[in-house]
Amino acid sequence: KRAEWYQTVSPIMLERSLERTVLANGSQQLAQRRIWVMPLPTRFADGQALPRCDSAYEDDEFADVADVADTSVKYTQRPEQRIALKRIRGQPSNKAVIGAAVELAARAEQDGLHVRKQEGRPVILHLCYDAKIGFNSRAMISMSNWISMPRLLQDNQVAVYIDG
């Protein structure tokens, strides 16, 4: 008999944007901001049964990585958002994702839409359909899986946010 049931959700989303970071010497540097979005299964939508949203580690495991300025984990209810989407086939490399997003933003602007930008570049949302995140009955992340698929079946989407 099965002792535990798991619910998986997909896509996992990665939002990428640019922001200026102030360095210790007071100068500024352009830095990437990455937000991983892992949707909850609908059975936990009321938020009542959610565990504390903290790390199991005493210390931040990324604190000694020079390129990582800050980390945090939190529950957030995202507002309704308007996005333009483009499908990308094959391996979702940085080059493929960024290239598709820049092309998509240019087309959206040609159509008269206002694309959300930071530091002059579009804010990118990568929808990873070949990744799954699993939750157990206690609403805790219990597994994550990046599914290896043949190139023909690799299917992801890139989006840019549309304001207004």
Side-chain angles (χ1 to χ4, degrees):
K1 183 177 178 181
R2 183 177 286 213
E4 181 76 83
W5 287 94
Y6 299 95
Q7 294 178 321
T8 60
V9 291
S10 185
I12 294 174
M13 294 165 273
L14 172 59
E15 182 179 295
R16 297 196 265 182
S17 60
L18 296 174
E19 62 182 22
R20 296 221 172 257
T21 302
V22 178
L23 302 176
N25 65 6
S27 65
Q28 292 186 1
Q29 177 179 322
L30 201 56
Q32 287 190 39
R33 179 177 181 174
R34 294 185 177 198
I35 300 173
W36 285 95
V37 179
M38 292 175 268
L40 288 168
T42 54
R43 75 181 277 192
F44 304 124
D46 63 3
Q48 298 301 314
L50 295 176
R52 284 186 42 183
C53 196
D54 59 358
S55 174
Y57 299 102
E58 290 290 320
D59 296 316
D60 186 345
E61 65 184 299
F62 294 105
D64 295 331
V65 178
D67 294 341
V68 177
D70 186 29
T71 62
S72 67
V73 178
K74 61 184 173 182
Y75 295 113
T76 304
Q77 185 170 358
R78 292 176 66 96
E80 181 179 297
Q81 297 170 324
R82 187 174 174 203
I83 57 176
L85 287 168
K86 179 178 176 70
R87 175 179 285 169
I88 55 172
R89 290 275 197 198
Q91 186 68 27
S93 66
N94 257 355
K95 185 177 180 179
V97 170
I98 293 170
V102 168
E103 180 184 325
L104 180 61
R107 286 186 183 179
E109 288 173 335
Q110 285 174 354
D111 289 343
L113 301 172
H114 184 262
V115 175
R116 184 179 310 159
K117 294 183 178 182
Q118 285 184 299
E119 299 296 330
R121 297 185 185 162
V123 177
I124 301 170
L125 183 64
H126 176 192
L127 291 83
C128 309
Y129 286 95
D130 49 3
K132 307 269 187 244
I133 190 86
F135 293 86
N136 63 20
S137 60
R138 294 175 305 283
M140 298 172 73
I141 294 177
S142 55
M143 68 177 85
S144 63
N145 188 10
W146 202 285
I147 303 166
S148 177
M149 296 185 187
R151 185 173 177 81
L152 176 66
L153 300 175
Q154 291 176 353
D155 190 19
N156 290 279
Q157 292 178 326
V158 174
V160 293
Y161 294 98
I162 306 299
D163 289 331

